[in-house]
Amino acid sequence: MNISPESLTKIPASFATVSVGTTSTPLSSKLSAISSAGFTAIELGFPDLLSFASTFYKKEIIENDYDSLCAAGSEVKKLCEKNNLGIMMLQPFSNFEGWPEGSDERKDAFERAKGWIRIMGAISKVLAGDLRELADLLAEHNYRLAYENWCWATHAPTWREVWQIVQLVNRPNIGLCLDTFQTAGGEYGDPSTSSGLISHLGTQGQASEAGSARRYSTAERTGNGPASKA
């Protein structure tokens, strides 16, 4: 299936809040900058939500204080509406899948999922066995799961591998999140080389109808080590 340029305009274009300034940068300033740049939505970074909540309550808010985070999320929603921005997703919900059955880590992962669903309800936004169970959990609340590859991941560092996992999950509320940094970092750029490029890889094909969302993010290169997502 071919994708026309016109069809791409129907895909919401968001920008990650964690790619603007730092967590100490006021969220209101980040939203204003993203809106001024022409984006219509944000990917709300959990560190930014934590920072905003701590400022809002004038005390440190911990990451599992979901009552406070939900209340802060409602305020974030109001700020987004003032800047004509939607909230496409909340990120990064990482280290979820693959824990042994019955382990404390798996229990914690699902507790986090339930807490994040509460936050998602407050901000009104959209987000293979474990992922299928998570998708079903989200479906009960009419939410979607945007699954993104991380180019440094152990199991599925490319969008192709993540797309295969999405197909195995086989749920209507899970899709592939295409991220510019993750694609470039895994298939084009290599900060450990003098040129900054992956010299042994040629140009690879592009996704056809795999993407359910697109987003733009940046990273900074520190020395000769791997790039860190900003």
Side-chain angles (χ1 to χ4, degrees), residues 15-130:
F15 199 91
T17 60
V18 293
S19 293
V20 182
T22 67
T23 54
S24 62
T25 303
L27 184 58
S28 58
S29 298
K30 294 188 176 193
L31 298 180
S32 177
I34 293 173
S35 178
S36 297
F39 291 92
T40 59
I42 65 166
E43 174 186 332
L44 179 59
F46 191 73
D48 284 323
L49 177 59
L50 271 176
S51 178
F52 177 85
S54 296
T55 300
F56 183 75
Y57 284 104
K58 296 182 173 59
K59 66 176 183 179
E60 183 178 0
I61 301 299
I62 59 177
E63 61 183 19
N64 62 350
D65 184 356
Y66 296 116
D67 288 337
S68 297
L69 290 172
C70 286
S74 296
E75 296 300 318
V76 172
K77 178 184 177 183
K78 295 176 184 177
L79 285 176
C80 287
E81 290 174 345
K82 289 181 180 179
N83 286 277
N84 298 313
L85 292 169
I87 304 177
M88 183 180 288
M89 62 187 76
L90 177 66
Q91 71 93 2
F93 188 73
S94 55
N95 300 324
F96 171 78
E97 70 276 22
W99 297 110
E101 187 75 30
S103 66
D104 290 339
E105 291 86 354
R106 191 173 191 274
K107 179 181 178 181
D108 174 71
F110 277 92
E111 286 300 318
R112 285 190 293 115
K114 293 174 182 177
W116 277 49
I117 287 174
R118 289 182 56 196
I119 297 172
M120 289 161 64
I123 62 178
S124 299
K125 43 145 291 309
V126 181
L127 251 215
D130 284 344

